[in-house]
Amino acid sequence: MGPVLRADGIELRPLTVDDAAEHLAGQDDVEIAAFEFPRASVLADVVAAINTWQGSWAQGGPARNFGIRDDASGALLGNVELRIVNEGVVNLSYLVFPDFRGRGIATRAARLALAYAATEMAARTAIVRVLDWNAASLAVARAVGGREVGREPSEAGGTFVVFEAALGAKLTR
């Protein structure tokens, strides 16, 4: 399994099946819309996703998914994922559960994950795709140094704003 990363009051660590119910409990309509899920997840969906992420960790696959936890209480706040796109490039995605939004958690988690990507995955660039209506997520992409490089259609008919962020020391402050 992957590492545990800590900074700024949060902890990133790979999810386990024991986290599935807590992860599912954090899902809401905003998450379903932001990721363009066809329906709300059920527990079996979350377990399957966690098993896939664990397999990627174990086999050195392209995905590195971390649960975001409060460093003091241990509460699961959301998750952040890095996915290798090609050599030196990762895709970044993140979500924070409704009770914890608006506290800078996604930005802190994204910075910590991108620092990991730069040092452990030899990533030089991160791509972030955010639906154009998602103001909070657009702000996170900009906060981690993303600059808008274009727009592209989503599979469900929305429009992604595409950001690129050069990885380096600025991410870890």
Side-chain angles (χ1 to χ4, degrees):
M1 195 77 114
V4 174
L5 312 173
R6 286 186 183 88
D8 297 328
I10 61 169
E11 174 185 276
L12 303 184
R13 67 179 147 142
L15 293 165
T16 69
V17 173
D18 291 341
D19 299 316
E22 189 176 9
H23 197 283
L24 180 63
Q27 186 177 71
D28 70 343
D29 291 341
V30 173
E31 176 186 340
I32 293 165
F35 284 92
E36 296 186 324
F37 295 148
R39 60 173 172 73
S41 297
V42 296
L43 187 59
D45 299 327
V46 179
V47 169
I50 291 171
N51 284 332
T52 298
W53 296 327
Q54 286 181 333
S56 189
W57 276 108
Q59 298 168 8
R64 302 288 182 274
N65 189 287
F66 295 92
I68 306 167
R69 292 196 174 274
D70 180 83
D71 204 20
S73 71
L76 186 62
L77 311 175
N79 75 332
V80 61
E81 181 175 290
L82 302 162
R83 184 171 294 274
I84 297 168
V85 175
N86 57 46
E87 186 175 336
V89 181
V90 294
N91 185 79
L92 170 71
S93 61
Y94 39 84
L95 72 91
V96 174
F97 300 144
D99 290 347
F100 307 105
R101 291 184 186 140
R103 300 180 192 177
I105 293 165
T107 299
R108 288 182 277 152
R111 285 184 176 138
L112 191 53
L114 290 174
Y116 172 84
T119 59
E120 302 299 323
M121 299 171 76
R124 298 178 307 279
T125 304
I127 305 294
V128 186
R129 288 177 178 82
V130 180
L131 288 168
D132 60 0
W133 57 263
N134 191 337
S137 197
L138 291 166
V140 172
R142 291 182 181 106
V144 298
R147 66 179 179 81
E148 187 176 332
V149 295
R151 292 176 180 252
E152 61 187 41
S154 73
E155 290 182 17
T159 301
F160 283 120
V161 180
V162 182
F163 295 88
E164 285 186 4
L167 304 187
K170 69 178 179 180
L171 294 170
T172 56
R173 286 189 238 154

